[in-house]
Amino acid sequence: MSELLAGLNPDQLAAVTLPSQHALILAGAGSGKTRVLTTRIAWLISTGQVGPHGLLAVTFTNKAAKEMLTRLSAMLPLNTRGMWVGTFHGLCNRLLRAHYREAGLPALFQILDSADQLAAIKRLLKALNVDDEKFPPRELASFINAHKEQGIRAAQAEAWDEYTRRRVELYAEYEAQCQREGVVDFAELLLRAYELLSRNEPLRRHYQTRFTHILVDEFQDTNRLQYAWLKLLAGYGEYGRAAGQIAAAEAGAGSAAAGAPAAIFAVGDDDQSIYAFRGADVGNMRDFEREFAVKSVIRLEQNYRSHGNILDAANALISNNNGRLGKNLWTAAGAGEPIRVFEAFSDIDEARFIVDEARELVRDGVERDQIALLYRSNAQSRVLEHQLFSAGVPYRVHGGLRFFERQEIKHALAYLRLIANADDDTAFSRVVNFPTRGIGARSLEALQDAAHRANSSLYNAAAGLAGKAGASVGAFVRLIEALRRDTAALKLSEMVAHVIDESGLRRHYLGEKEGAERLENLDELINAAESFLREDSDALAEAAGDAGAVLAAFLAHASLEAGEHQAGEGETAVQLMTVHAAKGLEFDVVFISGLEQGLFPHENAAQEREGLEEERRLMYVAITRARKRLYLSWAQTRMLHGQTRYCAPSIFLDEIPPALLRRLAPAPAFASAPAFTSGYSGGYAAGRAGGNGGGGGKASGSRAAAGSTTEVRGLRIGQSVEHARFGVGVIVAAEGGADARVQVNFGAAGMKWLALDYAKLTPL
DNA sequence: AGAGAGAGCCTTTTT
DNA sequence: GGCTCTCTCT
């Protein structure tokens, strides 16, 4: 026990050992939030206040849930299996699988991810002959999701105009289609689970009695529905009323259940709320405090991550926001280095500066994966990648296509889904003609009409289809039936392998020019099935050996956990990601680029209510990622949407006290226009050599000291060279060492630093 | 059925 | 500028 609590600071200790009552923990960035959360669980269990069975812990990402479980099993000799620790969606899935009948779902209901949902909506619009230019599927999807996240069904939705009245109709049609097909989208998982508990009193009482402690991570990111779900589980809320608008149910909030309500331990940081655009409602924090009459609000303000200057900058910036719950980070570490600010001539210049600086840091011994390049929007990564690539710096871009979202994987999963649930029209449409088997648009139209008339799934309608279309579609249905029959006795991974082979997927990709990687991914899917069997025995225990349930569990796993973006194989790499993606991570060195009005803060944010404040919180998140060194940069001109834009520096730069900043002037090496440098007093090299006090951080030498020379690898200053792209130029500077490079004046093509390892220069 | 061209789009995103 | 979607051509 004392071992468990050792090393906690007084606030952390207070939070961990709080008595069983509602509590709100305001956990600042880098304040040991996850540690407090997991230690709290361990403390509750080891002091006998609750068994592993009586506790529910909910997070937003699978990663966070996994992290919590890993740390927990390191603290306690505990079988974490069977514990209700997971994401909102994962836990709701679990609830619905266990009580599918009461929830009005088929036993093997499938989960639609966002892309599946969009495809389902497109199919719906087509079937109903709705003009998808008037009702864009994406817009309709967010309309539906937004309503579900408010707890509003189509039947209760308000239609304030003709257009919306039609959208509400389509929402109702979509609900009916999903129900008919036995599929559930992400928002539906939550809403169904909420309705299940609110309508079914015995079930609700069962879970309310079972869970005496509920712990919530990243509470500032919860939406209204998630909060309502928590209230219901904790024994708060109105019960007599049918589930409907959450707003209505909330009128009765505060009336506790008959039994003792569960204690909610909510951890969050209102300053790091950056997901309002997808429905997160920071207001939940205040509501929680009020509605649950929270007596214990604990602030974790000691930061264990960043040096003082970085924290001071973050504190100063965020103090410009209104209506904060209030928090001020401090550190026992020294002030550290000043924050470096770089003003670039262009986006390319900015990228060149960043890459050059990063290379130098690596040369000075900083680990590559301890360097993060952050940006507001994904489009900015291109120019950075380009510079990294030409400099030969290994890098990794976060975000993008993930494993279970790949085309070939979705195809294979669609076959598996049809085996589990033949009514899944989304899966059916995806693979009925992939690989191609002569089922064209006309056949599909006939099939869709038939299905619509009979109010049945495509699969069932196929049997009644006559003519040529009937024959080819019939053959597909027989294929699925054969797959189902032949895989019935196989274990999951064998089943996956069989489906990949017999569906024709493998043959198709074997014949494709670029198919090798897709084939590898398909093999990886077989591996994934194998390790799912081995590791995710949780779900399997509940499935109790039922092959159909095992398949359904695997498919749910694929939908709920899209998998890592890319395998992090190979050498360590500089990390590139959006600020959003960086939340929760930390790095020794952080570059925040594109600090320009209109980009960061983003221009679209100006139109949204409190948009600027969310942008500021985003900036706050970005700053607090850095441990030791922080670079802020902006460019006077930037290519955006194919044209050059002239930019003003971000107001966020003005919100950081100048005393914390050191403005770096570009060295001639970085300036595209010579006239540009002359106005600067400092000079970039001079700026970086010093270190104006504070402790910590390694002071790197000036660039001039980094091996400058008059001759390198047979090239000397003054010599003429030719480059394939830039033409003829004259060498004006040279640098030796492992990363030897020369600076060449190409005249019209500009001044370039070229790494001799990569650039092909022909001496003239 | 598949390739190639033209049009329109363009903030952030986990489940 | 580049991606995605759609249309058209073969």
Side-chain angles (χ1 to χ4, degrees):
Chain A
M1 170 78 61
S2 54
E3 201 181 310
L4 199 63
L5 304 177
L8 295 175
N9 70 35
D11 295 328
Q12 292 175 329
L13 185 67
V16 165
T17 59
L18 231 36
S20 292
Q21 62 192 30
H22 305 308
L24 179 60
I25 313 300
L26 294 175
S31 66
K33 175 198 71 165
T34 309
R35 181 167 181 206
V36 165
L37 211 41
T38 46
T39 314
R40 167 76 175 172
I41 296 176
W43 182 79
L44 285 171
I45 293 176
S46 63
T47 52
Q49 298 184 63
V50 65
H53 191 71
L55 172 156
L56 181 142
V58 61
T59 63
F60 271 85
T61 64
N62 292 300
K63 199 174 153 199
K66 212 171 282 174
E67 167 84 10
M68 207 183 281
L69 285 173
T70 311
R71 291 210 203 179
L72 203 54
S73 37
M75 284 184 201
L76 288 180
L78 190 67
N79 187 0
T80 55
R81 218 167 272 174
M83 280 181 74
W84 282 57
V85 176
T87 63
F88 278 102
H89 293 84
L91 295 179
C92 287
N93 176 48
R94 198 158 168 177
L95 200 63
L96 293 175
R97 296 270 167 212
H99 309 287
Y100 65 91
R101 245 179 289 248
E102 295 91 325
L105 289 171
L108 301 184
F109 70 85
Q110 305 295 304
I111 300 169
L112 302 184
D113 68 18
S114 316
D116 296 332
Q117 183 191 34
L118 197 63
I121 289 175
K122 283 182 182 165
R123 195 156 37 75
L124 178 78
L125 294 183
K126 192 157 252 174
L128 297 179
N129 245 324
V130 175
D131 183 359
D132 61 2
E133 298 212 341
K134 245 176 119 188
F135 296 91
R138 261 170 219 289
E139 197 278 331
L140 200 54
S142 43
F143 177 82
I144 292 171
N145 292 338
H147 277 80
K148 288 191 179 181
E149 282 164 12
Q150 297 288 324
I152 303 170
R153 288 288 180 194
Q156 297 124 13
E158 233 181 289
W160 51 87
D161 56 23
E162 184 52 29
Y163 179 64
T164 306
R165 195 188 59 74
R166 187 76 182 114
R167 287 194 295 180
V168 170
E169 271 174 26
L170 292 170
Y171 176 15
E173 294 281 358
Y174 172 76
E175 281 180 327
Q177 174 180 292
C178 289
Q179 188 61 33
R180 194 168 57 237
E181 297 176 10
V183 297
V184 160
D185 62 42
F186 284 143
E188 184 73 25
L189 277 176
L190 297 172
L191 183 51
R192 256 323 149 103
Y194 172 80
E195 289 173 344
L196 172 68
L197 289 178
S198 78
R199 288 173 184 169
N200 190 321
E201 184 166 348
L203 211 56
R204 181 175 68 244
R205 291 219 180 280
H206 167 77
Y207 284 104
Q208 284 174 345
T209 312
R210 171 175 173 177
F211 298 121
T212 56
H213 286 268
I214 296 176
L215 299 96
V216 194
D217 188 21
E218 305 276 20
F219 191 67
Q220 78 283 353
D221 286 338
T222 51
N223 62 34
R224 293 309 285 174
L225 181 54
Q226 286 158 340
Y227 179 49
W229 185 80
L230 287 169
K231 276 208 275 200
L232 210 50
L233 262 183
Y236 275 67
E238 184 91 349
Y239 300 140
R241 207 170 301 210
Q245 271 130 303
I246 294 169
E250 269 168 12
S255 58
I264 293 190
F265 187 87
V267 182
D269 180 359
D270 54 323
D271 290 334
Q272 292 190 69
S273 159
I274 56 174
Y275 285 113
F277 71 91
R278 66 174 196 216
D281 188 348
V282 218
N284 287 344
M285 295 182 84
R286 276 189 193 281
D287 288 354
F288 171 61
E289 205 178 333
R290 182 170 45 85
E291 294 173 353
F292 286 73
V294 174
K295 286 186 207 71
S296 322
V297 177
I298 294 181
R299 288 178 164 71
L300 304 180
E301 297 179 297
Q302 180 171 5
N303 174 292
Y304 295 93
R305 180 184 296 157
S306 312
H307 285 158
N309 285 338
I310 293 170
L311 289 185
D312 289 350
N315 284 332
L317 177 98
I318 202 67
S319 70
N320 290 290
N321 272 6
N322 293 313
R324 299 171 56 219
L325 296 175
K327 206 168 13 60
N328 215 42
L329 297 178
W330 62 277
T331 177
E337 306 178 3
I339 292 158
R340 293 159 163 80
V341 178
F342 183 73
E343 173 180 351
F345 177 70
S346 68
D347 48 350
I348 298 170
D349 249 7
E350 181 192 38
R352 202 177 291 151
F353 162 76
I354 291 172
V355 170
D356 234 67
E357 202 70 15
R359 286 171 80 197
E360 187 134 337
L361 286 161
V362 171
R363 222 174 296 166
D364 289 348
V366 178
E367 291 286 335
R368 258 191 224 101
D369 46 17
Q370 280 307 318
I371 301 175
L373 277 41
L374 307 184
Y375 36 80
R376 173 67 238 264
S377 65
N378 284 305
Q380 288 168 255
S381 78
R382 229 195 79 257
V383 62
L384 289 167
E385 287 186 67
H386 181 80
Q387 290 301 329
L388 286 161
F389 185 81
S390 26
V393 178
Y395 65 91
R396 179 176 171 220
V397 185
H398 293 248
L401 205 57
R402 302 192 301 175
F403 182 73
F404 286 110
E405 289 166 359
R406 289 168 188 280
Q407 182 209 103
E408 62 275 20
I409 300 301
K410 292 222 103 179
H411 282 141
L413 291 175
Y415 281 101
L416 292 165
R417 274 163 61 161
L418 283 175
I419 291 175
N421 171 13
D423 293 337
D424 186 339
D425 285 359
T426 301
F428 186 98
S429 309
R430 176 175 266 277
V431 289
V432 64
N433 197 35
F434 193 97
T436 49
R437 34 181 84 89
I439 302 173
R442 214 163 322 157
S443 304
L444 270 182
E445 224 159 274
L447 180 61
Q448 259 147 12
D449 283 348
H452 197 63
R453 274 196 307 276
N455 194 27
S456 77
S457 65
L458 296 173
Y459 192 89
N460 281 330
L465 207 61
K468 183 169 158 283
S472 51
V473 172
F476 175 70
V477 167
R478 281 195 299 282
L479 168 68
I480 299 299
E481 273 162 9
L483 289 176
R484 185 179 303 125
R485 188 183 58 236
D486 297 343
T487 56
L490 299 181
K491 71 168 189 169
L492 184 64
S493 51
E494 293 165 350
M495 181 185 221
V496 174
H498 182 91
V499 164
I500 290 171
D501 289 337
E502 299 304 316
S503 63
L505 279 179
R506 184 177 295 282
R507 200 174 340 111
H508 176 267
Y509 287 119
L510 274 172
E512 210 179 49
K513 285 192 294 280
E514 313 283 323
E517 193 186 333
R518 298 199 190 274
L519 286 170
E520 272 175 39
N521 287 330
L522 286 173
D523 287 332
E524 190 54 39
L525 182 65
I526 303 174
N527 293 340
E530 184 64 40
S531 46
F532 177 77
L533 281 178
R534 232 179 310 112
E535 289 161 23
D536 238 291
S537 34
D538 260 18
L540 298 182
E542 278 169 38
D546 172 352
V550 173
L551 175 58
F554 178 63
L555 291 171
H557 167 81
S559 296
L560 291 174
E561 191 165 351
E564 253 302 283
H565 295 274
Q566 295 132 322
E569 54 193 315
E571 50 191 344
T572 72
V574 171
Q575 309 286 306
L576 272 71
M577 66 195 86
T578 63
V579 179
H580 282 94
K583 184 164 170 229
L585 305 177
E586 54 182 80
F587 306 90
D588 282 343
V589 182
V590 168
F591 291 85
I592 307 174
S593 63
L595 282 164
E596 294 134 38
Q597 285 298 96
L599 188 60
F600 197 1
H602 198 276
E603 54 200 346
N604 293 7
Q607 277 119 55
E608 288 157 32
R609 217 164 7 102
E610 300 179 19
L612 181 63
E613 298 220 336
E614 177 140 322
E615 294 290 305
R616 191 176 281 116
R617 290 192 292 269
L618 201 49
M619 182 65 183
Y620 177 77
V621 167
I623 292 174
T624 51
R625 298 310 98 195
R627 289 200 197 97
K628 298 177 185 163
R629 189 184 281 203
L630 177 64
Y631 290 88
L632 310 175
S633 59
W634 68 282
Q636 296 178 330
T637 63
R638 181 175 298 274
M639 272 291 246
L640 216 59
H641 311 324
Q643 43 199 323
T644 305
R645 275 222 318 209
Y646 293 84
C647 310
S650 170
I651 55 161
F652 296 151
L653 286 168
D654 298 329
E655 294 177 358
I656 299 174
L660 301 174
L661 305 177
R662 156 128 19 104
R663 296 192 179 263
L664 307 176
F670 299 115
S672 299
F676 190 66
T677 26
S678 57
Y680 281 83
S681 52
Y684 164 56
R688 48 174 297 128
N692 74 346
K698 47 175 80 72
S700 46
S702 75
R703 180 172 300 287
S708 86
T709 171
T710 55
E711 186 177 344
V712 57
R713 300 194 198 168
L715 297 169
R716 61 193 154 61
I717 289 176
Q719 187 171 2
S720 293
V721 290
E722 189 169 16
H723 184 272
R725 232 177 72 222
F726 306 128
V728 176
V730 179
I731 297 179
V732 296
E735 207 174 277
D739 293 314
R741 50 192 203 136
V742 291
Q743 188 183 26
V744 186
N745 186 352
F746 288 106
M751 190 81 88
K752 312 277 178 195
W753 271 106
L754 298 167
L756 294 178
D757 284 344
Y758 310 102
K760 279 208 172 58
L761 290 175
T762 320
L764 293 177

